[in-house]
Amino acid sequence: MNWSRTKTIFIITFLFLNIFLTWQLIEKNNSNQMNMIAQATIQEVLRDNNVTIDVELPEETTTAGHILGKAVPFSERQMNALSNQEADLLDGTTIIAELNEPFELREDQFSQDLNQFLTSYITNGREYRFGRFDTEARQILMQQTYEGKTAYAFEAEPLVLQLNEDREIVAYEQSYYEFEPTGREREVLTSIKAIEVLLNAQHIGVNDTVTHVEFGYYSLHNLQGGGAQVFAPMWRVTVEGETYLVHAINPEIQQLS
């Protein structure tokens, strides 16, 4: 064995390794600096236009992909576990139930009471989240969650709570989606980048205030045959009472209100 030659090979190998690691470190630092400069530039534009972000921006989500939600049937065991209510199963995938006694939602403890109702009366109740309140129909419309993020279904909310005149829950209608990733995950826009997209599209103007920023998943149509929906990762941003969706992968904009 030629030890001198072997030693030379080791030295050259380690030299190339050090060069490669140094190059990677420089690239990472340059990338971080570019991101910091970009964010600083956006902040400067917002400040120059007197745009206020009146909400704490969510923690950054780095990658995400589309998810497929399928309405699944409720089992006999799940139906038998329901208590203090009269429940029927429609088409195997929808529960229609009336409570034996109205469930009170106290105004000063609305969130706590709602969570208690979900835990006590609803199958997989912890996976649902408040969506909106329909005052005309006296309904609380709720959405499911996927990995802690709200998944907004197209047109029909998966859980609808019916209230009486005293704002007590008296009945509900429930369906349940099982979610699974579809396609590969990709790098997503940051929350401040989503705001920049709206700014460049002139949906955010001088003296405007951003009051809500949330990362979630949205389905904009049903698949043929029904029972399944594809949900895309999006940023939900509210500006001066107007709500916009910014696609987190392809920066397309859709106005909700």
Side-chain angles (χ1 to χ4, degrees):
M1 178 178 181
N2 190 332
W3 173 245
S4 178
R5 182 180 178 184
T6 302
K7 185 169 65 173
T8 301
I9 292 173
F10 272 115
I11 292 173
I12 293 174
T13 301
F14 280 116
L15 178 61
F16 277 114
L17 179 61
N18 286 334
I19 292 173
F20 174 73
L21 292 176
T22 302
W23 175 79
Q24 278 199 322
L25 181 61
I26 293 173
E27 284 293 305
K28 184 176 181 180
N29 287 337
N30 287 341
S31 177
N32 290 338
Q33 289 177 4
M34 289 296 293
N35 287 335
M36 292 176 63
I37 292 172
Q39 289 198 17
T41 302
I42 298 169
Q43 296 287 4
E44 289 171 1
V45 173
L46 293 173
R47 184 172 60 251
D48 291 343
N49 286 275
N50 197 32
V51 174
T52 302
I53 301 179
D54 193 23
V55 63
E56 184 176 349
L57 295 181
E59 293 183 7
E60 301 301 347
T61 300
T62 55
T63 61
H66 292 73
I67 58 175
L68 178 65
K70 297 180 181 179
V72 296
F74 292 96
S75 67
E76 183 178 350
R77 179 183 61 81
Q78 289 174 319
M79 295 298 296
N80 291 335
L82 298 175
S83 60
N84 300 316
Q85 55 189 286
E86 298 297 326
D88 293 315
L89 195 56
L90 179 65
D91 297 330
T93 59
T94 303
I95 295 176
I96 299 177
E98 291 188 9
L99 306 189
N100 294 341
E101 297 289 339
F103 187 93
E104 181 183 9
L105 295 173
R106 293 166 292 182
E107 188 171 349
D108 59 339
Q109 297 190 46
F110 175 80
S111 296
Q112 297 93 317
D113 289 344
L114 182 59
N115 288 333
Q116 180 60 46
F117 175 81
L118 295 174
T119 302
S120 302
Y121 287 84
I122 302 298
T123 303
N124 300 321
R126 294 183 183 275
E127 297 183 37
Y128 292 85
R129 181 176 293 175
F130 178 84
R132 61 189 177 92
F133 185 67
D134 187 333
T135 54
E136 185 175 343
R138 292 204 299 267
Q139 292 177 338
I140 297 174
L141 308 175
M142 307 196 68
Q143 303 285 356
Q144 271 185 249
T145 59
Y146 171 73
E147 295 187 346
K149 308 297 184 183
T150 306
Y152 291 85
F154 176 71
E155 290 186 341
E157 287 80 2
L159 179 59
V160 179
L161 309 181
Q162 185 64 53
L163 309 182
N164 60 17
E165 294 180 353
D166 297 322
R167 291 172 59 93
E168 299 170 320
I169 302 173
V170 294
Y172 70 86
E173 182 174 325
Q174 179 193 8
S175 58
Y176 180 77
Y177 288 99
E178 282 188 351
F179 297 106
E180 62 182 40
T182 177
R184 65 183 181 89
E185 289 197 347
R186 298 172 61 183
E187 185 177 354
V188 299
L189 300 178
T190 62
S191 55
I192 193 68
K193 192 67 176 178
I195 291 174
E196 182 187 23
V197 169
L198 292 174
L199 184 68
N200 292 339
Q202 299 183 342
H203 292 300
I204 298 178
V206 177
N207 299 324
D208 280 351
T209 300
V210 178
T211 56
H212 181 80
V213 180
E214 175 194 9
F215 181 85
Y217 294 86
Y218 290 80
S219 172
L220 302 179
H221 61 84
N222 284 312
L223 296 180
Q224 287 187 348
Q229 299 185 30
V230 174
F231 296 75
M234 296 193 187
W235 286 101
R236 181 187 179 108
V237 183
T238 301
V239 184
E240 297 293 326
E242 301 289 336
T243 300
Y244 303 90
L245 296 180
V246 180
H247 199 295
I249 298 175
N250 305 313
E252 300 173 351
I253 301 171
Q254 179 159 345
Q255 186 171 352
L256 292 182
S257 62

